[in-house]
Amino acid sequence: FGGVDLHQYRPKPNVREEIFGMRPLADYLGIVFRNAELFTDALASREAAENANQLKTRLLANVSHELRTPLNIILGYSQSALATPNPYRVELPEGLRQDLLYIFQSGMHLQRIVSDLLDLSRAEIGELELVPEVIDTRNFLVDTFTNIASQTTTSPDVKKVLELPSRLPAIQADPVRLRQIIMNLLSNAFKFTDHGEVCLGAAVEPPHLHLWVRDTGLGIPFEVQERIFEP
């Protein structure tokens, strides 16, 4: 709320029409001042949000970097112990080998999560670089699927299915990012599927190559499906 004070040095009567004419001017000035205040508040909020985002990005980058060193040690020792022959020159009991394999597989999973965190922080500030190259699509998909299927422990009731045509065209893509996307989808599919199958498939649909992951797991509730593409 505010007031507009109009005065002069000598008395002068104001007619009714003049007073009514001043009202739109007063309303307009009020809107202008209020907009200026809102704009100033918006600038301050934007600056605070950008500072918070940069701080979060630096924190993610630093945490990801610090986690890699002990994680690499865990992966290195467990992989070395599982090698044949191993550095200890002893035959490991089967139970111990299985436990070491679980450690190694969990370490690999954690490594992917750390990499995802770092990539997310880079993407949010526009620094995620893509390096496209020509990919032998069929061999690439077979290798990616075999890799994660061999590292994932699932129920005996879950079949791991690869549905690929005998021939697929070469594509140009960033192999690291494409593998990351497929492995994330497959990892989620294996995690939430207790019976049935998890399938990676491909089909040529000119001018596109259609890739999909299909599973018989829990799925996404209908009421939240519209949110699946939100950050």
Side-chain angles (χ1 to χ4, degrees):
F1 295 93
V4 177
D5 178 20
L6 302 173
H7 61 276
Q8 55 188 18
Y9 291 107
R10 64 178 185 275
K12 178 181 179 298
N14 289 315
V15 297
R16 182 182 180 90
E17 288 76 11
E18 288 179 335
I19 295 176
F20 282 145
M22 292 298 175
R23 286 183 177 176
L25 174 62
D27 292 340
Y28 177 74
L29 290 174
I31 293 172
V32 169
F33 290 137
R34 181 55 181 157
N35 284 346
E37 292 176 354
L38 292 174
F39 183 69
T40 303
D41 292 343
L43 288 179
S45 299
R46 179 179 177 181
E47 183 179 2
E50 288 177 347
N51 291 336
N53 190 51
Q54 291 178 1
L55 179 62
K56 182 198 69 175
T57 300
R58 289 198 298 270
L59 177 63
L60 281 175
N62 290 334
V63 169
S64 300
H65 177 74
E66 294 300 325
L67 285 174
R68 286 179 184 274
T69 300
L71 183 55
N72 287 335
I73 294 175
I74 294 171
L75 288 173
Y77 274 105
S78 56
Q79 188 175 29
S80 178
L82 289 168
T84 305
N86 59 43
Y88 314 106
R89 298 178 182 176
V90 293
E91 185 69 25
L92 299 180
E94 186 57 33
L96 179 56
R97 284 189 60 83
Q98 191 62 44
D99 290 344
L100 288 172
L101 183 60
Y102 287 147
I103 292 173
F104 179 75
Q105 291 174 347
S106 298
M108 291 295 294
H109 180 63
L110 182 56
Q111 189 179 57
R112 287 196 296 271
I113 293 175
V114 171
S115 297
D116 286 349
L117 279 175
L118 191 56
D119 291 341
L120 178 63
S121 64
R122 288 173 178 164
E124 287 187 344
I125 59 175
E127 293 186 359
L128 183 63
E129 294 184 0
L130 297 179
V131 185
E133 60 183 68
V134 177
I135 298 174
D136 182 339
T137 309
R138 198 176 197 285
N139 288 338
F140 175 84
L141 295 176
V142 170
D143 179 66
T144 303
F145 185 80
T146 304
N147 190 345
I148 191 168
S150 63
Q151 294 180 14
T152 304
T153 303
T154 58
S155 166
D157 298 329
V158 177
K159 291 197 305 181
K160 301 171 183 179
V161 181
L162 198 56
E163 286 187 9
L164 303 178
S166 58
R167 296 183 62 185
L168 286 172
I171 60 173
Q172 189 173 43
D174 186 323
V176 175
R177 302 305 170 197
L178 183 56
R179 181 179 287 107
Q180 184 179 20
I181 292 169
I182 295 173
M183 292 185 74
N184 282 343
L185 292 172
L186 286 171
S187 178
N188 281 342
F190 283 123
K191 180 178 180 181
F192 294 105
T193 302
D194 295 326
H195 61 275
E197 67 176 27
V198 172
C199 172
L200 171 64
V204 179
E205 298 181 0
H208 303 291
L209 176 67
H210 182 207
L211 306 178
W212 71 86
V213 171
R214 182 182 70 237
D215 66 76
T216 54
L218 297 176
I220 301 174
F222 179 77
E223 60 272 15
V224 297
Q225 286 183 8
E226 63 182 13
R227 296 171 50 197
I228 60 176
F229 292 112
E230 295 178 6

